[in-house]
């Protein structure tokens, strides 16, 4: 394994002072156009700063009242799936709340894939556009942590399990495995043995954790008719997969959806096929939102404070920008809120 590269650290005023042979205060005076140094010293300091590639950071400009610091947030997902995704809307709301308190801006961009996302990070860091980034949707084979280490770009990974290979990156994560286990506990207690998990994007680490946990829980209970089907998180695919699995025989008696949008679309698709919820099929949504209470029956859902998730991530990033150490912070496990969309298997409805 090749030796790990040292992060490409941005030069500081201390570096300039050391190279120019002056004090840090003299560097500050020279670069900020303040009196207190000779013109010869000012010229030497500026020449050294140019040689080192120094640029004033947005954070420093914010502290001096000359501008606002900026945090980056790139999302590599299909753009048409974002407008109704309650999790991301609440997550960004929480992030923005903390950033506003610190007078920090949020630079947001949607891209096609992770390769494009990495290119954005390189460009933003080279152009001094951001002081740090919030990273979402960790992948199973994810190139971003290595890149962030290489750049020395302060970052918080949202939703990823702690990774000892990247100790400079902070992580804010929830126990997806524990949440999935709680759903399976509830459904099997109601007699459901044929369960289909209509999952999100297949390459996401949390999708794979949920799939593995469902499989492990099924194996532990001796259930042979439990499976997962991946989608793009959209209502269209949620409905299409629901129709497909209900038309297959024997149909599942319970469906677990990885977000609220797919769950609502799935209820509608089931009704089109003549299935009643929960009499014929029980439904659980991974994310709770107002959408889950806009259908009949109201949907049982895994509830969590997504806005607080965002606030926690933003606080961890501002702590890094303030010179703090990277940390792994675990947020509370989403808890299952049982409503009208789940019920016991009927006596005339075979459960296996």
């Amino acid at each position: 394994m090749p030796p790990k590269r040292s992060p490409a650290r941005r030069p500081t005023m201390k570096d300039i002072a050391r190279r120019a042979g002056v004090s840090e205060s003299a560097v500050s005076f020279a670069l900020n156009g303040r009196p207190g140094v000779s013109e010869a010293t000012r010229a030497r300091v500026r020449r050294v700063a140019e040689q080192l590639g120094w640029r004033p950071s947005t954070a420093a400009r914010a502290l001096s009242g000359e501008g606002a610091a900026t945090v980056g947030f790139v999302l590599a997902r299909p753009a048409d799936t974002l407008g109704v995704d309650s999790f991301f809307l609440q997550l960004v709301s929480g992030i923005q709340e903390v950033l506003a308190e610190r007078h920090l801006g949020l630079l947001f961009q949607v891209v096609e894939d992770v390769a494009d996302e990495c290119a954005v990070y390189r460009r933003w860091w080279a152009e001094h556009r951001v002081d740090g980034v919030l990273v979402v949707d960790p992948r199973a084979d994810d190139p971003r942590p290595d890149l962030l280490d290489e750049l020395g770009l302060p970052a918080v990974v949202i939703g990823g399990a702690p990774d000892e290979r990247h100790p400079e990156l902070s992580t804010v994560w929830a126990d997806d495995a524990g949440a999935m286990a709680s759903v399976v506990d509830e459904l099997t207690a109601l007699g459901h043995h044929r369960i289909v998990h209509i999952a999100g994007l297949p390459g996401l680490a949390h999708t794979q954790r949920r799939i593995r946990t469902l499989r492990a829980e099924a194996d532990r209970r001796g259930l042979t008719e439990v499976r997962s089907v991946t989608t793009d998180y959209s209502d269209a695919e949620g409905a299409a997969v629901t129709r497909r699995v209900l038309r297959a025989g024997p149909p599942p008696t319970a469906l677990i959806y990885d977000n609220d949008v797919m769950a609502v679309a799935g209820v509608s698709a089931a009704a089109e096929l003549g299935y009643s919820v929960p009499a014929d099929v029980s439904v659980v949504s991974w994310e709770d939102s107002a959408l889950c209470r806009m259908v009949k029956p109201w949907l049982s859902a895994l509830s969590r404070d997504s806005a607080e998730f965002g606030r926690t991530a933003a606080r961890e990033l501002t702590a890094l920008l303030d010179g703090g150490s990277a940390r792994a912070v675990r947020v509370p496990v989403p808890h299952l809120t049982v409503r009208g969309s789940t019920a016991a298997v009927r006596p005339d409805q075979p459960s296996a």
Side-chain angles (χ1 to χ4, degrees), residues 1-343:
M1 184 175 179
K4 190 173 181 179
R5 296 177 58 182
S6 298
R9 184 175 62 85
R10 290 196 290 191
T12 65
M13 286 191 178
K14 181 180 291 186
D15 298 324
I16 298 170
R18 187 181 302 114
R19 177 77 67 88
V22 298
S23 67
E24 288 184 55
S25 60
V27 172
S28 178
F29 291 156
L31 295 178
N32 290 306
R34 296 165 57 191
V37 294
S38 68
E39 287 306 313
T41 298
R42 192 183 307 278
R44 182 166 77 256
V45 166
R46 288 179 173 174
R47 184 168 60 252
V48 170
E50 183 67 26
Q51 291 169 353
L52 292 177
W54 179 87
R55 295 291 184 276
S57 73
T58 51
R61 294 204 312 273
L63 290 172
S64 66
E66 297 176 14
T70 303
V71 167
F73 186 17
V74 184
L75 194 57
R77 277 199 188 185
D80 59 0
T81 67
L82 302 179
V84 291
D85 192 320
S86 63
F87 171 73
F88 273 106
L89 293 175
Q90 293 176 53
L91 183 77
V92 172
S93 174
I95 290 169
Q96 185 57 41
E97 183 180 327
V98 171
L99 297 185
E101 293 172 355
R102 294 287 300 265
H103 304 289
L104 300 172
L106 180 64
L107 183 57
F108 178 72
Q109 187 165 339
V110 179
V111 296
E112 287 293 322
D113 53 35
V114 171
D116 288 343
E117 182 176 344
C118 289
V120 170
Y121 292 148
R122 289 186 181 277
R123 184 174 69 252
W124 280 355
W125 193 234
E127 296 174 356
H128 300 262
R129 299 282 301 280
V130 299
D131 292 311
V133 293
L134 294 160
V135 181
V136 294
D137 289 344
R139 265 66 175 180
D141 297 310
D142 202 327
R144 295 173 297 175
D146 285 340
L147 173 63
L148 295 168
D149 275 351
E150 173 191 330
L151 296 176
L153 176 53
V156 174
V157 179
I158 301 173
D163 188 345
E164 294 180 356
R165 296 170 300 174
H166 303 283
E168 299 304 314
L169 302 181
S170 284
T171 303
V172 177
W173 65 290
D175 183 6
D176 289 295
M180 176 61 84
S182 71
V183 174
V184 178
D185 283 342
E186 174 69 17
L187 292 177
T188 54
L190 293 171
H192 295 281
H193 294 167
R194 292 200 308 274
I195 303 169
V196 172
H197 168 214
I198 300 180
L201 293 164
L204 300 185
H206 68 253
T207 300
Q208 296 193 9
R209 283 198 300 270
R210 295 172 191 180
I211 291 173
R212 285 196 303 269
T213 302
L214 178 63
R215 183 71 264 156
E217 291 295 320
D219 290 345
R220 185 166 68 84
R221 293 170 168 83
L223 307 180
T224 59
E225 296 182 82
V226 174
R227 62 192 176 103
S228 298
V229 183
T230 56
T231 70
D232 66 358
Y233 278 119
S234 70
D235 57 334
E237 284 209 14
V241 171
T242 300
R243 294 186 191 99
R244 188 162 72 245
V245 299
L246 289 178
R247 283 172 174 151
T253 62
L255 299 170
I256 306 168
Y257 293 86
D258 260 5
N259 70 12
D260 50 346
V261 174
M262 291 197 298
V264 171
V267 169
S268 178
E272 291 172 7
L273 298 178
Y275 283 81
S276 174
V277 175
D280 300 316
V281 61
S282 288
V283 168
V284 176
S285 168
W286 193 276
E287 296 294 341
D288 196 6
S289 74
L291 280 178
C292 296
R293 301 181 297 279
M294 290 182 180
V295 294
K296 291 185 178 180
W298 286 10
L299 301 185
S300 296
L302 281 163
S303 303
R304 60 177 166 183
D305 190 341
S306 301
E308 181 58 25
F309 206 167
R311 286 190 287 269
T312 300
R315 291 189 193 106
E316 289 304 310
L317 183 54
T318 57
L320 287 179
L321 299 182
D322 289 340
S325 300
R327 303 195 310 161
V329 178
R330 177 173 167 176
V331 298
V333 180
H335 67 276
L336 181 61
T337 300
V338 177
R339 301 191 181 106
S341 67
T342 48

